[in-house]
Amino acid sequence: MSAAGEFIDAALQYEGDGYRAADVAERLGDGLRSYGSSVGAVRGTVRDALRKFRGLEHDELTALASELWAVPVFERRLAAIVLLQSSVPVLRHTDLTRIEGFVRAGRVPELADPLATDVIGPLLERLDGTARAKAETVLDRWMQDEPWLRRAALFAPIRELGAGGGDVDRATRRLAVALDGLQRPAPIAVVEPAVERLRAVL
């Protein structure tokens, strides 16, 4: 484990609470363990790590996110999301491949939704030209994939659309694809909340 990864993991365990850990693990399920550290502690730990290990560049930041995500502990995975959120200015459209793996493995709203709204959405907003087009093509492909990826593709542009920007036509097409999927046998409980949120801003 990298020095930054060890620092974050140790801090999260130190901030943990046994009762909270048991509650989080039972509530989220899906094989996730928990240290029982609060969301505020997770954010503060990542902030402290970025201060302590100044100068981390794109490859080091994304590798650290993968390192944190690799262990199925909720707070580690949340820390990976907070790290990526803090790193959006240096992320590239090619990082969607790594993030796609996180979405596939996340499988709970507490992880999948922040990935979509706090990482993927802001990443899309700062891209333009060919990079933006390639990123949008990836999200279009997600709409033909498993439910958690569809959910992420629907949630990702909501903040930008709500602020009066974004690609309304593309979002409308994705919504139509999602609505069609809701008419057929499918795990609609995963996708439906994103459908309702997207409809509200279009």
Side-chain angles (χ1 to χ4, degrees), residues 26-103:
E26 181 179 358
R27 179 166 48 84
L28 298 184
D30 206 48
L32 277 176
R33 293 184 286 119
S34 172
Y35 291 154
S37 33
S38 68
V39 172
V42 173
R43 292 190 175 279
T45 295
V46 172
R47 185 172 58 248
D48 291 345
L50 290 174
R51 287 200 195 102
K52 182 176 177 65
F53 300 93
R54 291 182 183 276
L56 294 178
E57 297 185 350
H58 171 272
D59 290 355
E60 296 164 306
L61 290 165
T62 53
L64 177 56
S66 289
E67 182 182 338
L68 291 169
W69 191 276
V71 180
V73 172
F74 173 70
E75 291 80 12
R76 283 179 60 110
R77 291 187 167 181
L78 186 60
I81 295 170
V82 173
L83 176 66
L84 289 175
Q85 181 184 6
S86 302
S87 307
V88 163
V90 302
L91 295 182
R92 307 162 185 158
H93 72 276
T94 51
D95 292 317
L96 284 173
T97 300
R98 185 188 309 263
I99 295 169
E100 177 176 333
F102 292 174
V103 175

Side-chain angles (χ1 to χ4, degrees), residues 106-117:
R107 309 194 71 79
V108 293
E110 290 83 355
L111 294 174
D113 294 352
L115 273 170
T117 59

Side-chain angles (χ1 to χ4, degrees), residues 3 9 33 44 93 113 124 144 160 171 176:
D9 187 77
R33 293 184 286 119
H93 72 276
D113 294 352
L124 287 175
Q144 307 299 327
E160 187 177 16

Side-chain angles (χ1 to χ4, degrees), residues 120-134:
I120 301 169
L123 171 58
L124 287 175
E125 288 186 53
R126 61 170 293 273
L127 296 176
D128 54 22
T130 301
R132 174 76 185 238
K134 288 182 177 179

